[in-house]
Amino acid sequence: SLSRLLHQECWTKIGEVKHEQLPQVVMAKNFDKAWDTYMDAYNACNPQDFLDELQTELDKRLEQAAKFK
C-alpha cells in the first residue's frame, strides 16, 4: 500500500541520516553544532508522522490481543 511504502521510505531516510550524521557527531570538535546538524537532518525526515503511525498500529494490535485474554 502507499502508506506502507511511505513508511518504508521514511524509515530508510532516518537510517541513512543516522549512519551519515552520527559518526560525525561523535568525532566533532563542536558537538553542539554537529548535533544540531544531525537533528535538522533527522527532523527533515518527519519522524513524528512515522512514529504516530507506528503507535496507531501498536494500539490496534494491543486492542486485538486483549480480546484473547
Side-chain angles (χ1 to χ4, degrees):
S1 73
L2 179 58
S3 178
R4 185 177 173 95
L5 180 63
L6 292 174
H7 292 130
Q8 182 61 40
E9 183 179 330
C10 181
W11 183 249
T12 300
K13 286 181 182 179
I14 288 171
E16 289 170 355
V17 167
K18 290 191 309 187
H19 290 306
E20 292 171 8
Q21 297 286 330
L22 286 179
Q24 295 176 28
V25 170
V26 171
M27 298 185 313
K29 290 182 181 183
N30 184 339
F31 176 85
D32 291 332
K33 182 178 179 184
W35 181 256
D36 289 344
T37 299
Y38 164 70
M39 289 305 298
D40 288 344
Y42 178 82
N43 288 326
C45 297
N46 298 315
Q48 195 58 52
D49 292 344
F50 175 71
L51 295 172
D52 290 346
E53 286 291 327
L54 287 178
Q55 187 64 54
T56 298
E57 182 64 24
L58 177 61
D59 293 344
K60 183 172 76 174
R61 290 181 184 200
L62 288 172
E63 182 180 322
Q64 298 248 335
K67 295 177 183 177
F68 297 101
K69 286 188 176 182

